Amino acid sequence: SLLLDGKVAVITGGAGLNGLGFATARMLTAQGARIAILDLAQANPAGAAAELGPQHIGLVANVTDKASCDAAAAEILKQLGRIDVLVNNAGITQPRKTLDITGADYDAVLDVSLRGTLYMSQAVIPAMQQQKSGSIVCISSVSAQRGGGILGGPHYSAAKAGVLGLARAMAREYGADNIRVNCITPGLIATDINKGKIPEDRRAAILESIPLGCIGEPNDVAGCVVFLASDLSKYCTGVTLDVNGGMLI
Ligand code: NAD
């Protein structure tokens, strides 16, 4: 049988067809899951869900808005009946130096990655507690670990490091409910977030710093989400899975 037969997985920020979220949605459907893609209206989550097939749904939701997260979770429970997996994938980045970060920049970046992870987790945990099972996968970043990314600013590193702490705390708090919470820290993955933004003169140096010698593909992250979402990882909680081609060795 498939790894996620009968399971329902929610993916935030999953509507971009070239993004990590949509690649994850595809791989989870291949393992039998029904999917709810949540994203901003402009990203067309219903259109993305239609690409996956008729048993999947797409809902407009803004993860920075608690009422929007709660409404999305209620609608998913109404339409799909349960929530087994949450992938906190929505995130934005901004190339900034420390002295250039405005309050508005800080709010924008922290709100999507960190506040959004909290609000969506709050929205699905009660259903997972009732089921006595659930897997929450949070997409952090290598930027959290190496203090500065290739493209994100310090506020992005802070937001993604915050996600690691939040996830570990939730893992500790909800272990007794059999809700697992784990993180993935992707390195440089080819998606729209960085498309065309890697300066040509830095490209060789960046590749040199990656032992596997290449930039990652969305499916490299998606495969690890499948592992953390499924019972293959049923004794893993509070872990951080690095998916970076060896960048931190
Ligand atoms: P992406 O820009 O394609 O995906 C981000 C998605 O989040 C978009 O669909 C966007 O519409 C959505 N989003 C933004 N604000 C939102 C909000 N308020 N509510 C709901 N959805 C919102 O980029 P991606 O590379 O696929 O990024 C996915 C995740 O992976 C992000 O959290 C990103 O920080 C993280 N990440 C990416 C890389 C990389 O190299 N691509 C590396 C490390 C971490």
Side-chain angles (χ1 to χ4, degrees):
S1 69
L2 300 172
L3 289 171
L4 295 162
D5 257 338
K7 306 278 189 182
V8 171
V10 181
I11 305 173
T12 69
L17 300 187
N18 303 320
L20 302 186
F22 190 74
T24 296
R26 262 207 203 294
M27 231 186 244
L28 292 170
T29 63
Q31 291 301 329
R34 283 174 300 154
I35 305 292
I37 289 182
L38 308 187
D39 212 313
L40 300 174
Q42 71 234 35
N44 188 15
E51 293 280 326
L52 296 173
Q55 64 273 50
H56 310 286
I57 64 172
L59 300 174
V60 172
N62 181 345
V63 298
T64 71
D65 177 347
K66 185 159 170 57
S68 177
C69 294
D70 289 342
E75 187 62 27
I76 294 161
L77 289 171
K78 196 171 131 200
Q79 291 195 37
L80 302 179
R82 51 189 297 122
I83 297 175
D84 301 284
V85 175
L86 167 65
V87 185
N88 283 308
N89 169 74
I92 60 169
T93 186
Q94 296 168 339
R96 293 280 189 282
K97 302 272 194 208
T98 298
L99 298 184
D100 300 327
I101 298 169
T102 66
D105 293 338
Y106 178 92
D107 286 347
V109 169
L110 274 280
D111 273 0
V112 180
S113 275
L114 190 48
R115 189 187 294 269
T117 294
L118 175 66
Y119 284 170
M120 270 314 299
S121 301
Q122 289 176 326
V124 305
I125 283 172
M128 291 178 169
Q129 281 182 302
Q130 272 190 357
Q131 290 164 197
K132 282 272 171 224
S133 74
S135 172
I136 299 177
V137 182
C138 302
I139 307 299
S140 174
S141 171
V142 71
S143 301
Q145 300 162 308
R146 41 170 262 169
I150 289 158
L151 300 161
H155 53 338
Y156 179 75
S157 294
K160 293 302 195 182
V163 168
L164 298 179
L166 175 62
R168 288 187 195 125
M170 292 193 297
R172 186 179 289 280
E173 189 174 349
Y174 294 105
D177 292 311
N178 192 31
I179 300 171
R180 300 182 297 109
V181 188
N182 294 293
C183 289
I184 293 178
T185 42
L188 191 55
I189 315 290
T191 69
D192 291 346
I193 218 170
N194 50 41
K195 198 174 189 175
K197 292 180 196 153
I198 302 165
E200 262 320 304
D201 56 332
R202 284 187 61 202
R203 203 182 163 83
I206 289 168
L207 289 177
E208 188 89 11
S209 74
I210 303 172
L212 288 180
C214 57
I215 287 171
E217 300 166 4
N219 277 342
D220 296 332
V221 175
C224 293
V225 179
V226 170
F227 169 68
L228 291 174
S230 74
D231 282 348
L232 285 178
S233 61
K234 72 182 174 51
Y235 201 52
C236 297
T237 197
V239 308
T240 301
L241 188 46
D242 293 357
V243 184
N244 60 27
M247 211 186 254
L248 294 182
I249 295 169

